[in-house]
Amino acid sequence: MRIVDLVEEFLSSEGFRHEMDNDGDIHFKYQGLNFYCRNHEGDESYFQIIMPNIYDVQGDRVKVLEATNKVTRDTKVLKAFLVQDSLWLSVEMFVDSNPIVGDFFFRCMDILCEGRKQIAREIFGE
């Protein structure tokens, strides 16, 4: 079974409202924020949840890149990156062929939410 199908089953069992788009990506909210689990056809062991558009990059692009570099370096499985002028976060990892999504899902979500806070502290001193 595809990892996105397992994630969809997990979200349903936990009462999350979600939808699957035409690419097979699952869109959902967690703590009021938007996320999606990417469908990576042909790589069933690759798990990725993305927190898109967390900040519009305005002003000092170098400061934002330094903050994302620090948080990415210091946080396990977290990636921070720019998509045009928008900052995005993702958790990416490989899972076994029959993962139990509940064993890692909430930890991944907490990593993303905490990464967002850490980046805000680095950029804005919040």
Side-chain angles (χ1 to χ4, degrees):
M1 183 176 275
R2 302 178 320 165
I3 185 68
V4 292
D5 296 326
L6 294 172
V7 170
E8 184 176 36
E9 283 181 9
F10 175 78
L11 291 172
S12 293
S13 73
E14 292 292 317
F16 283 86
R17 291 179 47 196
H18 60 280
E19 61 183 49
M20 188 174 284
D21 67 17
N22 293 336
D23 296 325
D25 301 334
I26 303 168
H27 298 259
F28 62 98
K29 287 188 180 274
Y30 179 78
Q31 296 184 358
L33 301 168
N34 293 313
F35 295 87
Y36 66 97
C37 180
R38 291 265 329 264
N39 176 30
H40 290 276
E41 288 293 331
D43 194 352
E44 299 308 319
S45 63
Y46 185 65
F47 172 75
Q48 181 184 37
I49 293 183
I50 296 174
M51 178 189 268
N53 305 310
I54 65 167
Y55 295 111
D56 287 329
V57 178
Q58 299 172 359
D60 192 352
R61 191 174 182 91
V62 172
K63 184 175 184 177
V64 172
L65 291 172
E66 288 173 350
T68 59
N69 184 60
K70 180 182 185 316
V71 173
T72 298
R73 180 189 68 224
D74 294 347
T75 309
K76 295 174 186 171
V77 306
L78 182 76
K79 289 186 180 179
F81 53 95
L82 296 178
V83 175
Q84 297 176 10
D85 287 330
S86 182
L87 182 58
W88 294 33
L89 298 179
S90 70
V91 163
E92 303 178 24
M93 61 188 187
F94 292 102
V95 296
D96 66 24
S97 60
N98 193 20
I100 299 171
V101 175
D103 287 351
F104 55 85
F105 181 83
F106 289 112
R107 184 171 183 192
C108 291
M109 299 308 295
D110 291 343
I111 288 169
L112 287 164
C113 291
E114 183 58 31
R116 181 176 179 261
K117 290 176 189 174
Q118 289 176 7
I119 287 174
R121 283 192 294 270
E122 291 294 321
I123 295 172
F124 307 112
E126 295 178 359

